[in-house]
Amino acid sequence: MRGRSDRGAIGVFVAICAAFLILVIALVVDAAGRLRVAERTDGYAQEAARIGGQQLDEAAVLQGAGYRVKQDYVRDAANSYLALYHLQAESVTFSADGSVVTVTVKAEFRPALLGELGKQKVTGKGSATLVHGVEKAETD
């Protein structure tokens, strides 16, 4: 009784395993790239909020109305900073008392190996609190 020849079966198996291994490596590399973009976007948003938080309403301070930021200037300052990195603030929000500035930024992630298949938007968010006359550290 003559059976089917197994000749070349190992070659097919190796080709399938190699293709799967390449796909796994591509996914790992692109996932790491997405994490880097997310981390950078958070950093840019944090710095944009910090820069925006420095835009004091000097007239209010001189009139004794307290420390707060000038909201129009905050948006302009945040977008000026983000423009250095070809980004723009998605939103700039303020707390009720105007002492906390929150900036949200969206960046586009383009995977190195998966191409258009893995293209997506990454959101970064950062906030800054306006403080003055700090005498001791704040604890939560």
Side-chain angles (χ1 to χ4, degrees):
M1 178 159 135
R2 275 190 97 156
R4 241 173 67 177
S5 172
D6 287 340
R7 193 168 191 187
I10 295 293
V12 172
F13 176 74
V14 168
I16 291 171
C17 288
F20 180 73
L21 184 62
I22 289 172
L23 178 64
V24 168
I25 290 171
L27 289 173
V28 168
V29 168
D30 285 342
R34 187 190 182 290
L35 287 174
R36 277 193 308 273
V37 169
E39 184 180 344
R40 267 192 224 129
T41 304
D42 277 340
Y44 295 148
Q46 186 68 37
E47 283 300 307
R50 184 188 63 78
I51 289 169
Q54 294 176 353
Q55 309 306 311
L56 281 179
D57 186 350
E58 296 168 359
V61 173
L62 293 174
Q63 294 170 357
Y67 294 90
R68 60 178 176 245
V69 294
K70 222 169 187 177
Q71 294 183 1
D72 292 336
Y73 291 175
V74 171
R75 286 184 184 86
D76 292 342
N79 279 322
S80 292
Y81 171 76
L82 292 170
L84 296 172
Y85 303 101
H86 308 291
L87 296 170
Q88 187 174 5
E90 173 97 356
S91 69
V92 178
T93 58
F94 305 93
S95 63
D97 62 354
S99 64
V100 179
V101 176
T102 304
V103 176
T104 305
V105 177
K106 284 202 180 208
E108 190 171 296
F109 168 66
R110 293 185 181 146
L113 300 174
L114 293 178
E116 293 294 318
L117 182 65
K119 187 173 157 182
Q120 57 187 284
K121 293 282 188 181
V122 177
T123 302
K125 193 172 195 177
S127 63
T129 304
L130 176 64
V131 293
H132 61 281
V134 177
E135 296 176 5
K136 63 179 182 171
E138 293 180 20
T139 57
D140 291 332

